[in-house]
Amino acid sequence: MIHIVLYRPEKPQNTGNIMRTCVAIHATLHIIGPITFSIDSKDLQRVGMDYIDDLKMNFYPDYEDFVRQNKDADIYYVTRYAKTVYSTYDFSKKIGDVYLMFGRESTGIPHEILKEHQNRLMRIPMVPEARSLNLSNCVALVSYEVLRQQGFPSLATEEAIKGPDFLFKD
């Protein structure tokens, strides 16, 4: 299972989009606080739509609490400071849970945390002049790469709601 970890997210719209992604891929969302908005905010409700009713989510008041409650977590840290591209990691044979941590929209993951886990840093390639991509896009990009490598376990690979031949029915 994939776990998405957001370190002190700042924008409820991004967090709402990430909530929808987590539900769509059966991921658990972990939010590390403190945060600048309410988890119950109207912005989150609007962006997350009815998807958030099915969301598996844990909130931690701070990073230390997250670490304490997830001692054996297999965590990868997404950062512009990484030297290894995210698609370089091999998740095809991973059996246990994979945690993907993403930082704040403005400042990313604290450098102290990154320095402690240098062999677990992953980078999304982009032009040298770009500082970052949208947080919710990064979450989707990296989490779907992990799922692709694993063969999209338990995810529908054809239209399930209206049926696989919906386009061809008259």
Side-chain angles (χ1 to χ4, degrees), residues 9-169:
E10 298 167 307
K11 299 189 186 295
Q13 298 84 352
N14 282 335
T15 303
N17 284 334
I18 293 165
M19 289 173 157
R20 287 175 66 181
T21 299
C22 286
V23 171
I25 64 173
H26 296 294
T28 299
L29 178 62
H30 301 263
I31 297 178
I32 299 171
I35 58 175
T36 59
F37 57 90
S38 168
I39 296 291
D40 301 321
S41 79
K42 287 186 170 82
D43 289 332
L44 276 182
Q45 300 291 330
R46 185 172 32 259
V47 177
M49 297 174 20
D50 58 344
Y51 287 90
I52 60 175
D53 294 338
D54 298 322
L55 177 68
K56 293 176 277 186
M57 183 178 78
N58 299 304
F59 180 82
Y60 309 88
D62 53 42
Y63 178 71
E64 291 73 22
D65 190 49
F66 168 77
V67 170
R68 195 170 25 262
Q69 292 190 47
N70 297 278
K71 287 184 177 104
D72 298 322
D74 188 13
I75 306 173
Y76 295 84
Y77 305 81
V78 181
T79 174
R80 68 188 243 183
Y81 302 112
K83 296 177 182 174
T84 306
V85 174
Y86 70 98
S87 58
T88 303
Y89 288 91
D90 182 6
F91 295 101
S92 63
K93 295 174 183 67
K94 287 258 184 217
I95 296 170
D97 294 346
V98 174
Y99 288 70
L100 303 170
M101 183 181 286
F102 299 84
R104 303 186 83 180
E105 288 91 340
S106 64
T107 57
I109 299 169
H111 297 176
E112 310 81 63
I113 295 172
L114 298 176
K115 288 176 184 176
E116 290 175 19
H117 305 283
Q118 292 179 39
N119 62 335
R120 292 301 188 105
L121 305 183
M122 50 174 58
R123 174 182 184 77
I124 299 172
M126 62 188 110
V127 298
E129 300 80 24
R131 288 187 315 277
S132 65
L133 295 170
N134 175 275
L135 179 61
S136 62
N137 292 339
C138 293
V139 168
L141 185 74
V142 176
S143 59
Y144 267 92
E145 172 62 16
V146 172
L147 291 166
R148 182 194 67 77
Q149 290 184 23
Q150 296 176 344
F152 300 108
S154 75
L155 300 184
T157 55
E158 61 181 30
E159 173 54 43
I161 296 172
K162 294 185 178 183
D165 297 325
F166 174 76
L167 285 178
F168 304 103
K169 292 179 182 175

